[in-house]
């Protein structure tokens, strides 16, 4: 199994949650879980999982055995390098912040490996669960099976929070070598595919045309395309656009 990213692995352990604890019972009563969804809370302060629910249903692991290290290690091999690096960069970014920490989160579409070895398409969202004195103490993750995801070669992700633009721009730069696309980039390509000019796309996002060029043109090199038409075709072929 692919291990966690170099930065992240120093923060995660293989210790599962004590589901009989008062905290775990409280979370089970108060945190909603939807069908084909699994939830976890991982405490950096305690260095272990403090809650897990739904993992046997979606990935075959009992809630009492699933650990943070297991979750990051069972990413399907074709997505693991990007997923691990995204975890690293996102964790570095969030740990650099001291205010409004609970407002930060990111999502990624990828495949995890079921305990029996079969790939499972998931949408995973990870956010800050708690913070003390300007430091993150725990994160919460929701992973839900999405049978409608048609994953191609390109991984899709999005960032949320007060520093969303800074977060995504930093991720875009750091993750450039991967076949990945952010929510902002996907939205821009979708408008271009509908026939919008760069100026019209810029007006839609309330930014300058040069900002849109800086968002779209770098994708030529990343995806090995030679024109805007080629980029749109690539987006459809790889299920970036429906």
């Amino acid at each position: 199994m692919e291990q966690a990213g170099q930065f992240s692995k120093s923060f995660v352990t293989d210790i599962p949650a004590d589901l009989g604890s008062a905290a775990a019972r409280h979370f089970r009563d108060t945190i909603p879980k939807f069908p084909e969804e699994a939830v976890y809370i991982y405490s950096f302060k305690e260095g272990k999982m403090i809650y897990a629910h739904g993992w046997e249903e979606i990935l075959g692991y009992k809630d009492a055995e699933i650990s943070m290290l297991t979750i990051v290690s069972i990413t399907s091999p074709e997505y693991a390098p990007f997923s691990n690096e995204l975890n690293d960069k996102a964790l570095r970014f969030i740990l650099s912040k001291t205010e409004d920490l609970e407002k930060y989160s990111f999502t990624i579409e990828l495949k995890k490996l079921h305990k029996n070895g079969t790939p499972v398409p998931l949408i995973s969202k990870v956010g800050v669960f708690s913070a003390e004195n300007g430091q993150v103490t725990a994160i919460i993750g929701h992973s839900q099976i999405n049978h409608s995801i048609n994953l191609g070669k390109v991984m899709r992700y999005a960032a949320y929070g007060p520093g969303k633009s800074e977060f995504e721009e930093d991720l875009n730069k750091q993750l450039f070598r991967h076949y990945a696309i952010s929510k902002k980039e996907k939205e821009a390509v979708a408008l271009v595919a509908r026939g919008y000019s760069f100026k019209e796309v810029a007006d839609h996002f309330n930014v300058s045309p040069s900002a849109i060029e800086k968002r779209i043109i770098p994708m030529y090199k990343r995806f090995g395309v030679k024109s805007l038409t080629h980029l749109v075709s690539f987006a459809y072929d790889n299920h970036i656009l429906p």
Side-chain angles (χ1 to χ4, degrees):
M1 290 188 293
E2 184 79 22
Q3 295 300 307
Q6 290 300 310
F7 183 70
S8 301
K9 73 178 183 181
S10 63
F11 289 88
V12 302
T13 69
D14 203 25
I15 304 174
D18 174 5
L19 298 180
S21 69
R25 292 198 302 271
H26 170 72
F27 295 141
R28 189 173 185 115
D29 290 339
T30 57
I31 296 177
K33 189 194 82 68
F34 300 97
E36 296 191 318
E37 180 189 60
V39 184
Y40 73 80
I41 299 174
Y42 180 80
S43 171
F44 292 118
K45 189 174 182 180
E46 298 181 44
K48 65 178 182 179
M49 200 75 86
I50 57 175
Y51 178 63
H53 185 39
W55 292 95
E56 188 167 16
E57 178 187 0
I58 72 166
L59 291 175
Y61 290 87
K62 293 180 180 178
D63 295 335
E65 70 175 323
I66 194 76
S67 70
M68 194 70 237
L69 187 60
T70 299
I71 290 173
V72 299
S73 299
I74 59 174
T75 304
S76 186
E78 67 269 35
Y79 296 99
F82 172 75
S83 177
N84 289 341
E85 196 164 344
L86 175 63
N87 289 336
D88 272 5
K89 304 306 181 187
L91 185 56
R92 283 182 187 274
F93 183 88
I94 291 172
L95 291 179
S96 73
K97 301 300 176 183
T98 58
E99 298 179 352
D100 296 322
L101 292 172
E102 287 90 346
K103 296 180 180 179
Y104 285 96
S105 64
F106 69 93
T107 60
I108 182 172
E109 298 176 8
L110 77 173
K111 291 179 184 176
K112 294 285 187 181
L113 295 179
H114 192 278
K115 196 173 185 180
N116 64 16
T118 58
V120 181
L122 299 175
I123 295 179
S124 294
K125 180 176 182 179
V126 179
V128 176
F129 182 72
S130 62
E132 293 177 10
N133 302 317
Q135 292 187 321
V136 177
T137 54
I139 57 174
I140 183 168
H142 295 260
S143 292
Q144 188 167 33
I145 296 176
N146 191 326
H147 299 290
S148 67
I149 298 178
N150 199 344
L151 293 170
K153 296 183 294 183
V154 181
M155 287 151 283
R156 290 161 283 191
Y157 65 96
Y160 304 90
K164 174 183 174 179
S165 295
E166 178 191 352
F167 191 9
E168 280 204 348
E169 285 173 14
D170 183 59
L171 288 174
N172 289 347
K173 291 175 185 175
Q174 298 291 337
L175 304 172
F176 183 84
R177 64 191 177 87
H178 295 286
Y179 256 27
I181 189 167
S182 70
K183 183 179 180 182
K184 273 188 176 181
E185 291 172 329
K186 179 181 175 181
E187 289 172 348
V189 173
L191 290 175
V192 169
R194 290 167 56 187
Y196 283 50
S197 67
F198 277 11
K199 183 180 183 308
E200 290 171 325
V201 176
D203 290 342
H204 177 83
F205 287 108
N206 197 28
V207 298
S208 68
S210 63
I212 294 302
E213 287 185 21
K214 290 178 181 177
R215 190 175 299 178
I216 291 177
I217 301 301
M219 285 190 272
Y220 287 19
K221 182 177 180 181
R222 188 190 311 166
F223 300 136
V225 300
K226 301 182 183 300
S227 67
L228 204 52
T229 302
H230 193 183
L231 177 62
V232 170
S233 176
F234 176 89
Y236 281 116
D237 290 345
N238 284 275
H239 313 294
I240 295 170
L241 300 179

